[in-house]
Amino acid sequence: MDLAAAATHPGRTTPIADRTQLYLDGRWIAPHGTGVIAVEDPTTEQVIAHVPAGDTVDVDRAVAAAKAAFGPWSALAPAERAAHLDRLHTALSARAGDIATTVARELGTPMKIATKVQAGLPLTVLKSYVDMAGQPESTHTVGNSLIVGEPVGVVGAITPWNYPLHQIMAKVAGALAAGCTVVLKPADLTPLVAYLLFDAIDEAGLPPGVANLVTGPGSVVGSAIAAHPDVDLVSFTGSTAVGARISHLAADRIARVALELGGKSANVILADADLRRAVKTGVANAFLNSGQTCTAWTRMLVHRSRYDEALAIAAEAAAGQTLGDPFDEGTRLGPLASAAQRETVRGYIEQGLAAGARLIAGGLDAPVPDRGHFVAATVLADVDPDSVVAQEEIFGPVLVVIPFDSDDEAVAIANNSRYGLAGAVWSGDEDRALAVARRMRTGAVDVNGGAFNPLAPFGGFKQSGIGRELGRHGLAEFLETKAIQR
Ligand code: NDP
């Protein structure tokens, strides 16, 4: 790693300021909560800024503001709401460089990915909702009934740290476009990019109360949002365990929940696949963002006739995942988000090896930078499909490889999971690949490297969640359906 070059990158040398306020009712104001959250750079392990730890009084203030703003915001003409969101898109686009460097600092995503995905994708998603806000879902009739969609009300958005602005945008842009108002609680590990969004919201002049920001611990601020009587829909992305807790809190008052949870997605490589492309794409996918991606294809299923060949390609591709500083151009793999996450991931590698997996690349003894929460790109072969490392979401750079003998067996292994978020199939025969894709119990499948589509519905089967985000399906999550008989 070229630390000297990295250290002089403007993204690292520009100081990040402490933030001391919350955004409530259209203004930056002092929090009621007195605590602070220290934000760490996981590459240098240094604290780079502090943000306030709000409390339940701050949540009450935010929800009251969102509730008061809901009537006027939902009553705006679609073109007016679209104009507000368009101004937000302009203000946020001007901050694209800062967004990328901020996420590279607070999360450790390498700059190339930070620029393209962490900054670029949320802007694309916001633009798609500018367009949709201006062209509302048309009403339709069923017999003598007129069927209309109406905004659900106040949305509580609770988001994770892995794609911090994208996860926020999928909720906030969809909710605002539908005519809802929002209270956002971003992840404690990565709150700084949320502040950039609210700087843009302030500059764009969104009406007071339409979007509110309360930073603070999930156990306090997140729980208070989920339990609040005036929050009509809780939209959460994160772990399945917290998703279940939020569902319990919301169930007491029959509030709606939308959950985007974990994944353990299968990349099925049939015998007639373009093996090199399938394996190399699969390895890159599994290690994107240091493996901290809910849709990551972390189980590679390979036909036994191509298994050894696939392992050799996977080992070579994993070795190309150069660890280093996110600001160093050669870096492919940044650190994990926190020391705790690194220890969790190391524990899984240990368990996998103890259970009989064969180490093909990386591992606990592979060299890593002596500072930062790094784990080398690790490939485990001969993994038992029922073992812990094949079943649990590791959320780090660990890929397991499993052989199969028939299409039926591949489908059975792919579906042998409590999750069902994403997946892939590779075959020289597209119809055969599509047939396998249709049998996979999962919310999305890419056939032969089909590209991510930000307008397609995104969400999970089984314990990967409830509901869909992005595009028209995502907008529909924020609407109630009304039937008017004439
Ligand atoms: P969590 O599910 O704990 O955190 C996600 C969000 O929920 C954060 O904003 C968090 O706040 C908040 N939160 C935490 N506890 C509560 C609560 N009791 N009530 C309401 N909100 C709460 O994820 P972690 O950060 O702990 O990550 C743990 C694991 O979850 C990862 O290893 C990974 O397996 C999975 N995960 C999956 C993601 C996905 O995209 N599917 C994203 C992130 C994690 P705070 O930041 O203050 O804790």
Side-chain angles (χ1 to χ4, degrees):
M1 140 162 99
D2 186 352
L3 270 177
T8 58
H9 187 285
R12 192 175 286 296
T13 51
T14 306
I16 290 183
D18 282 355
R19 305 296 297 245
T20 56
Q21 295 170 312
L22 305 176
Y23 196 78
L24 303 181
D25 207 11
R27 294 180 296 138
W28 288 110
I29 64 169
H32 178 268
T34 52
V36 289
I37 297 163
V39 183
E40 185 206 40
D41 178 334
T43 310
T44 62
E45 301 182 37
Q46 283 170 345
V47 171
I48 50 172
H50 297 84
V51 301
D55 64 11
T56 55
V57 173
D58 293 312
V59 172
D60 286 343
R61 290 151 101 186
V63 175
K67 189 179 176 187
F70 175 65
W73 178 251
S74 60
L76 278 186
E80 284 180 73
R81 269 207 300 274
H84 277 294
L85 293 181
D86 199 29
R87 278 198 299 281
L88 173 58
H89 183 264
T90 304
L92 198 63
S93 298
R95 292 166 170 80
D98 286 348
I99 292 167
T101 52
T102 298
V103 179
R105 294 293 302 275
E106 64 181 348
L107 180 62
T109 306
M111 272 304 283
K112 199 171 158 192
I113 299 296
T115 303
K116 193 174 161 192
V117 183
Q118 303 282 15
L121 182 56
L123 285 167
T124 302
V125 169
L126 176 56
K127 183 71 180 73
S128 74
Y129 280 116
V130 173
D131 298 342
M132 279 180 258
Q135 302 159 10
E137 198 88 51
S138 55
T139 55
H140 65 282
T141 55
V142 177
N144 67 323
S145 301
L146 178 68
I147 313 298
V148 296
E150 295 188 355
V152 67
V154 174
V155 172
I158 303 172
T159 57
W161 40 264
N162 59 339
Y163 291 92
L165 188 57
H166 169 65
Q167 309 279 23
I168 290 171
M169 197 57 78
K171 301 182 187 316
V172 171
L176 297 183
C180 297
T181 55
V182 179
V183 175
L184 169 70
K185 190 217 101 59
D188 274 5
L189 287 177
T190 56
L192 298 173
V193 74
Y195 275 88
L196 294 181
L197 170 64
F198 277 79
D199 285 342
I201 284 173
D202 195 48
E203 185 182 307
L206 255 61
V210 163
N212 305 274
L213 171 69
V214 184
T215 45
S219 54
V220 177
V221 172
S223 297
I225 289 172
H228 203 290
D230 291 330
V231 171
D232 300 289
L233 166 73
V234 187
S235 181
F236 169 79
T237 299
S239 63
T240 299
V242 173
R245 292 180 61 137
I246 283 173
S247 298
H248 282 290
L249 291 171
D252 282 342
R253 62 181 197 288
I254 322 291
R256 279 83 183 115
V257 288
L259 305 173
E260 299 295 342
L261 307 174
K264 190 74 189 177
S265 297
N267 177 17
V268 177
I269 303 177
L270 302 178
D272 62 351
D274 174 347
L275 193 71
R276 198 160 182 85
R277 187 162 166 248
V279 174
K280 285 185 76 172
T281 307
V283 167
N285 177 293
F287 296 147
L288 179 68
N289 204 31
S290 296
Q292 302 166 129
T293 303
C294 48
T295 52
W297 307 335
T298 47
R299 294 182 297 152
M300 183 180 283
L301 279 44
V302 186
H303 191 267
R304 202 177 297 277
S305 65
R306 316 285 306 273
Y307 187 64
D308 290 339
E309 211 185 324
L311 291 181
I313 299 167
E316 179 195 318
Q321 293 281 324
T322 313
L323 290 162
D325 191 296
F327 291 97
D328 183 342
E329 269 195 17
T331 296
R332 296 284 300 279
L333 210 61
L336 293 174
S338 65
Q341 193 67 19
R342 179 190 54 199
E343 288 323 302
T344 303
V345 172
R346 285 177 63 86
Y348 276 118
I349 296 173
E350 214 165 2
Q351 272 193 71
L353 294 171
R358 181 158 55 104
L359 187 67
I360 294 296
L364 298 176
D365 299 327
V368 294
D370 45 13
R371 218 171 222 290
H373 308 311
F374 290 93
V375 172
T378 297
V379 181
L380 301 175
D382 309 347
V383 170
D384 177 346
D386 291 319
S387 67
V388 168
V389 287
Q391 289 292 326
E392 292 189 12
E393 182 177 52
I394 296 175
F395 234 57
V398 182
L399 171 68
V400 305
V401 193
I402 302 169
F404 64 84
D405 289 300
S406 67
D407 290 12
D408 284 351
E409 194 192 2
V411 170
I413 297 172
N415 290 339
N416 174 17
S417 173
R418 68 185 170 119
Y419 295 116
L421 189 56
V425 188
W426 301 81
S427 168
D429 174 351
E430 191 173 302
D431 288 343
R432 184 178 170 195
L434 282 172
V436 170
R438 291 296 299 265
R439 293 170 65 195
M440 289 167 70
R441 304 269 306 147
T442 186
V445 187
D446 299 346
V447 167
N448 290 334
F452 176 72
N453 178 357
L455 293 176
F458 178 92
F461 286 25
K462 301 190 272 184
Q463 289 188 26
S464 287
I466 297 173
R468 295 293 179 270
E469 291 189 326
L470 305 182
R472 284 265 167 218
H473 289 78
L475 191 78
E477 289 290 323
F478 299 107
L479 298 172
E480 289 281 20
T481 303
K482 179 183 281 181
I484 302 171
Q485 285 62 244
R486 294 163 295 178

